[in-house]
Amino acid sequence: MQYKNDGVGENNVHQNTFTSYLMTAIRREKNLYLKRKYTHEAIEVAVDIETYFDALTDSFESLDLETYCELREEIESVIKAIGNLGDRERYVFLERILKDKDYKELGSELGVSYYGAATIFSRVIKRIKKELGE
């Protein structure tokens, strides 16, 4: 025979307390999982950027030491500027620069128009230039 839990009685109060505790624990664990997931993805993007620029600087070995050091410093400042971008801005920038995607593709992936993607990219370039002092 089934009965409805009306919150009256010792068993029902304990059941309601446990259910509330369980729901709170599940909600907190879900939020923690999502936070870890998105943090991990952001770290992967940063690692990919650094790997790309490390490969780029390997091609500078034929340069003299002073020029090499200047280029290395500039690259590190660019990595820092890219790291300061938001996820969406970083995605547009990296896909456009590294993977040579056009604005139409980027717009369809992000759910914006061609001009929306172009505007995001333009703002990113301005922001990076501002951070680098150019």
Side-chain angles (χ1 to χ4, degrees):
M1 175 180 230
Q2 292 191 356
Y3 65 96
K4 187 174 179 179
N5 181 348
D6 57 0
V8 178
E10 188 175 344
N11 287 339
N12 291 338
V13 170
H14 289 301
Q15 180 65 39
N16 290 346
T17 304
F18 177 74
T19 303
S20 174
Y21 167 79
L22 189 60
M23 294 299 291
T24 303
I26 290 171
R27 190 176 313 113
R28 286 180 181 164
E29 193 62 33
K30 179 186 88 172
N31 291 338
L32 185 61
Y33 169 77
L34 292 174
K35 184 177 179 181
R36 285 182 191 151
K37 177 183 175 188
Y38 292 125
T39 302
H40 181 69
E41 288 176 0
I43 290 170
E44 283 181 354
V45 170
V47 169
D48 291 340
I49 295 169
E50 290 176 4
T51 304
Y52 173 77
F53 283 114
D54 284 341
L56 180 64
T57 56
D58 289 342
S59 64
F60 297 150
E61 291 177 0
S62 61
L63 301 173
D64 61 298
L65 183 60
E66 184 178 332
T67 308
Y68 175 80
C69 290
E70 289 174 8
L71 284 174
R72 183 69 189 179
E73 288 175 10
E74 287 180 18
I75 289 171
E76 288 174 358
S77 62
V78 170
I79 290 172
K80 184 179 178 185
I82 292 171
N84 292 336
L85 297 173
D87 292 335
R88 183 174 168 173
E89 295 169 331
R90 186 181 310 127
Y91 176 77
V92 169
F93 179 76
L94 292 176
E95 292 295 308
R96 178 80 176 134
I97 298 296
L98 300 180
K99 295 185 180 177
D100 200 28
K101 284 191 177 180
D102 61 358
Y103 295 126
K104 187 175 181 180
E105 285 180 84
L106 290 170
S108 64
E109 290 174 3
L110 296 173
V112 296
S113 68
Y114 171 91
Y115 294 107
T119 303
I120 292 171
F121 183 75
S122 174
R123 287 181 186 161
V124 166
I125 294 298
K126 287 179 185 177
R127 189 169 164 193
I128 289 175
K129 283 183 179 181
K130 184 178 177 182
E131 287 187 32
L132 296 177
E134 295 179 11

